[in-house]
Amino acid sequence: MEIGLNHYLVLSTILFAIGLVGVMRRKNLLMLFFATEILLNAVNIAFAAISHYYGDLTGQMFAFFVIAIAASEVAVGLGLLIVWHKRHNNIDLDQMSTMRG
Amino acid sequence: MFEAIAFYLFAFLTIAMFFIAVTTSQALYALTALAAGMIFISAFFFILDADFLGAIQIVVYSGAVMALYAFGMMFFDTTREVKEKRGNALIISGLSILSAVLVVLIVAAPMVATNITASYPVNPALGNTQDVGMILFTKYLVPFEVAAVMLLVAMIAGIVLAGKKMDLSLTLMTEAEIIDMKKDQNKKVLS
């Protein structure tokens, strides 16, 4: 059986849905970051598949930039998370509902 | 034939790993499952003839990002059980509807756009890595430079945020000095 573009798009959708469920139900901020990584990876698969089946390199270029953004997001996010943990000794999302410094 | 076998095998493995990463209550299990899922995803890139992207996926995601998370987790209490939100029926039903709409949109999108022509077509005479390099350093040079500046900004932000009080070493200080420092910190937090 031939694997077509739709197979990859369905796989990408399933992974994106898993990531979305993770974002919605996680309370721990570190786990929330993991779920966002899953979201970005699902999109990368779709980009690479479209790039392959249309014979166009633009999709791969976008995937590179997505990876670069994910790397910088992790650096800044983890830094903020460490500062928050030093100050409040927890990383629960519900404790961050107030915007008091 | 082999492509189909590889696709289904890695699809199953990736979905299983990410499912574990999303549902487990242990932070360390989630981290290792996520790292394994990243490596399995690079297999899709190799199947899709995007060799360079696959190598980048392994180097950046399972190498750099996962190592960064592992270092970051040294600051947190990872043995503690992760508490979860109580399921809200409205949110769950909303999510299901959103996912279903997403499936329809993603599968229908390529059918709508039938007459697409490649703006940067793949050159079969070159390998994938050379091809990517040619496009990246001619057509996408400005975004590439902007991404480089963004990574620099992120690096400085990470150092500034996480590197506070790195000049103090708790192992080299005496007990009295540590108690004094903690008192000072408490004053700062309270004031």
Side-chain angles (χ1 to χ4, degrees), chain A residues 53-89:
Chain A
Y53 284 100
Y54 283 100
D56 192 347
L57 279 172
T58 314
Q60 291 185 32
M61 293 299 137
F62 268 84
F64 286 128
F65 293 123
V66 167
I67 288 178
I69 287 169
S72 48
E73 172 242 324
V74 169
V76 177
L78 216 55
L80 287 172
L81 208 57
I82 288 169
V83 170
W84 183 272
H85 188 264
K86 270 180 187 168
R87 189 166 293 178
H88 297 267
N89 206 21

Side-chain angles (χ1 to χ4, degrees), chain B residues 154-165:
Chain B
M155 187 185 78
I156 293 170
I159 292 170
V160 168
L161 287 173
K164 275 177 191 160
K165 299 217 176 71

Side-chain angles (χ1 to χ4, degrees), chain B residues 139-172:
Chain B
K139 307 288 182 194
Y140 284 90
L141 188 58
V142 174
F144 179 78
E145 299 289 346
V146 172
V149 171
M150 191 189 63
L151 281 171
L152 180 70
V153 169
M155 187 185 78
I156 293 170
I159 292 170
V160 168
L161 287 173
K164 275 177 191 160
K165 299 217 176 71
M166 284 285 183
D167 51 332
L168 300 175
S169 170
L170 287 175
T171 50
L172 295 178

